[in-house]
Amino acid sequence: MSSVVLLISFALNVVNDIYASFVEQEGIEDEDYYNELIDLTSEPININAATYDDLTRLRFLRGEQIDAILAYVDAHPMESLNELALIDGLHDYDIRNLSCFFTAQPLSQETKLYGREVFHYAKHEILTRLDARNLEESIHNSKLLILNSQFKISYKFNYQNRILFGATLQRPTGAPASGLQYGGYVQVNDIGHLQTLVAGNYQASFGQGLVIGNPFHMGKSTYVTQLETTQEGLKKYSSVTGGGLHGAGATLRFGGKRLNTRVTAFYSLQKDNDSLRHHAVGANVSVRFNKVLLGVTAVENIYSDSVRYYFANAAYNQNYFRGNRQFVGGINVRWNLGFLDLFGEVATTQNKTWGVGTQVGLRATPVSDINLLLLYRYYSPTFDNTYAYAFSETSRLNDENGLYLAADITKLNHWRFTAYGDVFRFAGVKYGIPQAPSWGYDAQVQATYLPSSTWQLDGRVRAKQKGKTATYSTRWQFDWQQSGWHLRTRADANIVTDSVGAITYGVSLSQDVQYSFSQVPLALQLRLQGFDARHWDNRIYLYENDVLYAFSSNVTYGLGARAYMNIRWQIIPQLALYFKASTTIHHPQSTIHNSRNGAQSTDTDLHLLLRATL
């Protein structure tokens, strides 16, 4: 069982590294996508039976990489994942990641579902999680103690990724005993012409997300040339808080490999607050012919009352949608030409005037191991849509014009260079930027040195200006792993200049030590971190490992230190225990706004999770 623990540790490290590359830079979090990556490590995709939709679940794969994998498998099914090295466009780090989510098995001709088979071969998972928080502040030799706790119970049923069911009950932190939250989903895949049927909590994503998309959209990260949305359609949503739709939807599929058509319809009812009800009725039709995809999406939003905002007279929200009914529609296309990959979407929204949003991208691979991306986006001032999630400098797709250029170069042995530059302009006032019009830029260069599978070194510098605030930051990271050990040393620093010329700084230094025992089914991880970032603008995002199906994108600011410990114990093959203890100490001189003047605060968290599988 100890060898199993080593494999689990490797897979979890890969998942955490992939996910961290997204959330640390942009702060975009999606619990459901993180959970899906974890699930794929235990229910890997059979690469010989994989479809385009299956591969788009791995959002770090570019569109042309997916096409290359499918073309290779179609010509000769794989006998071993070692054959991934023969596919153009896949590098060592890609293959390392993919090995956690793929398996190479012979094709099975059996597609029928039988009741006994479903319940006999299905996988069942029961999770019980308890979190506790202790916030202690020392003020003039007296102590203020604040205790919070939450619990969560969930059940998952999975039969070969064709029949899935899940239910969750939780009481969030700070909620009264009666403040329970609950949710669930049912998803059925690949039965005749029925591609997907979902009910309960689910997500919908089509095109580039200008009409409706996934909240966890591709932003600026180490995957600099992967910005388009590749995953389309309906899928379950296991979280019970935010980010999902609530209702039902279905997708029908017609045709074969070369030419196929998908027709999707869905309905959702949400409570946006205590009194407002939000109905959404949508549909999508997409046609794929070889490497060309064309889709049309439409959503009608119906509200029980007129949409209002807490700060109705704020200058930044004057073009946000107001009313009780809104139509949103768009057309998207993707065309792969081998070394060129074209994708984009044009959408319109009903508002004061009809708003227009567009995103057009061109990816090119002029020579092997050099990948380039050019992306243009334009969202008119009156383009505003509740369910729109796409590449943008701000969190809301509204009043933005920008051009993004990126390069990913792996031409030199043991080296990888990535860089991007983004310039953008806002015609009106934006949240936090009172000047109008305003403009900004964001540029980053990163180098990775990988001399062997044992260690690597990463260095990154970034410069960003939005309005009259400029941020200059750098990050250096060293990784070493061998024989169950994994050591990581990381240093972050930034300087911020504001509109009046004031200069502030933030620094952080952390050390991770992880060890998976070879004789017992136990894995440990420790981190020590010191930080000095006394202004919110100097905050540093530092990803943390957590218990299974959980993550922490810790926001470091103030003056102090942080430490945490993770324990993973595979008690028996069907039962595992996960535990995390963390504590943060803020110095009395810290200027963070949740600490009183002259007070030292200690914030301690305990997470305990028990996982049973059958």
Side-chain angles (χ1 to χ4, degrees), residues 152-365:
K152 179 177 181 179
I153 300 174
S154 66
Y155 167 73
K156 292 182 180 180
F157 173 97
N158 186 334
Y159 173 71
Q160 297 181 355
N161 289 321
R162 297 185 66 188
I163 300 178
L164 304 100
F165 168 77
T168 300
L169 175 69
Q170 71 178 26
R171 181 174 66 83
T173 300
S178 59
L180 295 177
Q181 298 176 336
Y182 57 89
Y185 62 84
V186 176
Q187 180 171 333
V188 180
N189 300 322
D190 300 323
I191 298 180
H193 290 295
L194 179 67
Q195 176 177 315
T196 305
L197 172 67
V198 292
N201 297 344
Y202 69 99
Q203 289 183 332
S205 179
F206 301 98
Q208 299 306 307
L210 300 187
V211 177
I212 186 168
N214 192 309
F216 186 77
H217 54 284
M218 304 301 291
K220 297 168 187 174
S221 69
T222 55
Y223 298 96
V224 296
T225 60
Q226 169 59 321
L227 292 185
E228 85 273 25
T229 301
T230 55
Q231 187 175 31
E232 296 191 341
L234 308 174
K235 74 181 187 74
K236 65 179 178 61
Y237 185 64
S238 58
S239 177
V240 298
T241 55
L245 303 175
H246 309 279
T251 299
L252 299 178
R253 178 176 53 201
F254 306 94
K257 286 186 176 182
R258 290 177 56 83
L259 175 63
N260 65 77
T261 302
R262 298 188 307 179
V263 180
T264 301
F266 58 92
Y267 167 77
S268 172
L269 171 60
Q270 291 180 285
K271 293 195 300 182
D272 287 355
N273 53 45
D274 292 338
S275 60
L276 192 64
R277 301 295 185 271
H278 180 186
H279 302 264
V281 181
N284 170 268
V285 178
S286 64
V287 178
R288 181 182 298 278
F289 177 68
N290 287 340
K291 297 181 180 181
V292 178
L293 172 68
L294 180 64
V296 179
T297 310
V299 176
E300 182 77 12
N301 296 298
I302 305 170
Y303 299 88
S304 59
D305 196 0
S306 182
V307 175
R308 298 180 178 88
Y309 301 95
Y310 289 112
F311 302 99
N313 296 322
Y316 67 85
N317 67 17
Q318 292 308 297
N319 285 316
Y320 289 2
F321 170 74
R322 288 170 170 79
N324 56 18
R325 193 157 188 152
Q326 181 186 39
F327 172 82
V328 187
I331 300 175
N332 64 280
V333 64
R334 178 174 176 259
W335 187 10
N336 182 266
L337 299 170
F339 73 97
L340 291 177
D341 194 29
L342 175 67
F343 59 91
E345 182 173 17
V346 178
T348 183
T349 60
Q350 184 181 2
N351 205 340
K352 298 177 181 178
T353 61
W354 285 91
V356 176
T358 184
Q359 185 180 112
V360 180
L362 177 66
R363 182 183 295 104
T365 309

Side-chain angles (χ1 to χ4, degrees), residues 87-102:
I87 300 178
D88 290 338
L90 295 184
H91 301 283
D92 292 342
Y93 51 86
D94 294 316
I95 296 170
R96 182 196 72 126
N97 294 344
L98 293 175
S99 64
C100 297
F101 308 111
F102 282 153

Side-chain angles (χ1 to χ4, degrees), residues 87 118 172 207 326 350 361 405 443 455 470 487 498:
I87 300 178
V118 168
Q326 181 186 39
Q350 184 181 2
L405 178 64
W455 67 277
L487 307 181
D498 62 18

Side-chain angles (χ1 to χ4, degrees), residues 1 5 8 12 126-130 521-524 546-548 566-580 607-613:
M1 188 167 24
V5 172
I8 293 174
L12 289 178
I126 300 174
L127 296 177
T128 303
R129 177 177 169 181
L130 177 65
L522 188 68
L524 300 176
D546 210 314
V547 298
L548 190 67
N566 278 330
I567 299 176
R568 183 169 64 254
W569 178 25
Q570 193 73 39
I571 304 172
I572 58 176
Q574 297 80 20
L575 187 65
L577 176 69
Y578 298 79
F579 174 75
K580 178 183 179 180
H607 299 172
L608 179 66
L609 183 143
L610 194 64
R611 181 197 191 203
T613 57

Side-chain angles (χ1 to χ4, degrees), residues 45-63:
I45 300 168
N46 181 5
I47 196 168
N48 291 321
T51 65
Y52 187 89
D53 295 316
D54 291 330
L55 299 187
T56 56
R57 297 169 69 185
L58 303 173
R59 301 181 199 173
F60 55 87
L61 281 177
R62 301 189 301 269

